Amino acid sequence: MKHIPDIRALLRHMNKASDFMRWLRADGDSLVAAAELLGGRKWAARARAVVEAAKAGKDLAARRYELQELNRLLRLEFTSDIKSVEARRFAAVHPDDPRACDARNCAEALGRGLRALEALRLAGIVGIREAV
């Protein structure tokens, strides 16, 4: 028996992916700033490449690895090694710093966008882009 995807669920994921694309275009600078805050220039460059791809209307699914890695950075998964650059940068940020709040908001937006992109990928929908 072949599985028939729920069209309503697919539309929800499409809408979330579209919202994510719009967020990257409008607030991508906050993602770049959060990546730089927690990871430095190397991470900021990766975030900038993702934002530029979104602004150019390119397929975000092709940037899945970069998005997953940025998500790991913003979710502090690289801070377990206390000697890592990411751990030192995280330790230097005060929790009440507005940039920390912005980074948390970026982590949430990135997580939502990645979940939507992954659901669409699993449903066999590729090439998630939005008209510029």
Side-chain angles (χ1 to χ4, degrees):
M1 180 173 178
K2 185 174 177 169
H3 173 71
I4 300 172
D6 179 4
I7 192 72
R8 291 180 306 257
L10 288 175
L11 288 173
R12 272 194 311 275
H13 294 306
M14 293 282 290
N15 285 334
K16 287 179 184 179
S18 182
D19 289 345
F20 179 56
M21 179 76 89
R22 280 193 294 278
W23 176 79
L24 281 173
R25 287 181 180 158
D27 295 325
D29 291 340
S30 60
L31 177 62
V32 174
E36 185 163 7
L37 175 70
L38 296 173
R41 278 190 235 143
K42 172 185 85 165
W43 285 100
R46 291 176 86 171
R48 193 172 296 106
V50 168
V51 170
E52 288 172 2
K55 287 182 178 180
K58 294 185 180 174
D59 181 10
L60 281 184
R63 298 285 183 168
R64 192 171 93 212
Y65 178 74
E66 288 93 343
L67 289 166
Q68 289 170 337
E69 290 298 292
L70 286 166
N71 190 44
R72 291 183 64 208
L73 172 72
L74 296 182
R75 295 201 180 276
L76 308 175
E77 292 181 22
F78 296 114
T79 60
S80 58
D81 176 9
I82 199 141
K83 295 180 182 181
S84 70
V85 171
E86 294 85 0
R88 287 193 307 265
R89 292 184 75 88
F90 170 65
V93 178
H94 191 280
D96 292 334
D97 187 329
R99 298 175 303 162
C101 184
D102 290 343
R104 285 188 294 270
N105 291 337
C106 287
E108 290 173 13
L110 194 52
R112 280 190 305 271
L114 272 171
R115 285 188 299 276
L117 290 173
E118 183 64 10
L120 293 172
R121 184 187 71 79
L122 291 173
I125 299 172
V126 294
I128 307 305
R129 24 180 135 203
E130 188 174 280
V132 178

